[in-house]
Amino acid sequence: MQETRQNKISRLLQKELSQIFQEQTRAMHGVMVSVTQVRVSPDLGICTAHLSIFPSERAEELLQNINRNNAQIRYTLGQRVRHQLRIIPELRFFQDDSLDYIDRIDELLGAKS
């Protein structure tokens, strides 16, 4: 029962965070931030979001900027979901580098062929 609620809230937060990042990066040409995965703690107090950032060379810089603006992002998220959630969870952002990992494996496999 609790897991179903967590999944629904995770999907809601993923959708809203994606829209927030899309609006914020629209002015930055050549930069794209995708929310690949969102997990919510069982008490719904902590939201862990994994971000895929393109270009990956600027990923560390953009992730630091996102973490500096964490309070503003949480406030914006709260404005968007205030009718669905009573408490807005604390946000934690991590880089999802799985696409870089896949590219690296492809490079290694291509080099051996």
Side-chain angles (χ1 to χ4, degrees), residues 48-103:
T48 304
H50 292 270
L51 307 177
S52 178
I53 302 171
F54 180 82
S56 58
E57 296 82 35
R58 295 185 58 194
E60 190 65 35
E61 169 194 348
L62 289 170
L63 191 61
Q64 288 175 356
N65 190 19
I66 288 169
N67 283 321
R68 273 195 303 270
N69 295 318
N70 195 339
Q72 179 61 38
I73 294 168
R74 185 176 180 203
Y75 176 79
T76 305
L77 179 65
Q79 293 298 309
R80 290 172 170 259
V81 298
R82 66 177 176 237
H83 298 296
Q84 288 101 341
L85 297 177
R86 188 176 343 158
I87 298 173
I88 307 306
E90 174 187 331
L91 300 175
R92 296 183 181 167
F93 297 106
F94 297 96
Q95 181 181 355
D96 181 7
D97 56 358
S98 59
L99 292 177
D100 294 334
Y101 182 71
I102 291 169
D103 286 342

Side-chain angles (χ1 to χ4, degrees), residues 18-67:
S18 295
Q19 290 177 352
I20 290 169
F21 288 128
Q22 184 179 22
E23 291 169 3
Q24 289 182 350
T25 59
R26 188 169 287 146
M28 302 171 65
H29 298 290
V31 174
M32 186 172 70
V33 177
S34 301
V35 182
T36 56
Q37 183 180 29
V38 171
R39 296 231 168 130
V40 180
S41 64
D43 67 350
L44 308 177
I46 299 172
C47 169
T48 304
H50 292 270
L51 307 177
S52 178
I53 302 171
F54 180 82
S56 58
E57 296 82 35
R58 295 185 58 194
E60 190 65 35
E61 169 194 348
L62 289 170
L63 191 61
Q64 288 175 356
N65 190 19
I66 288 169
N67 283 321

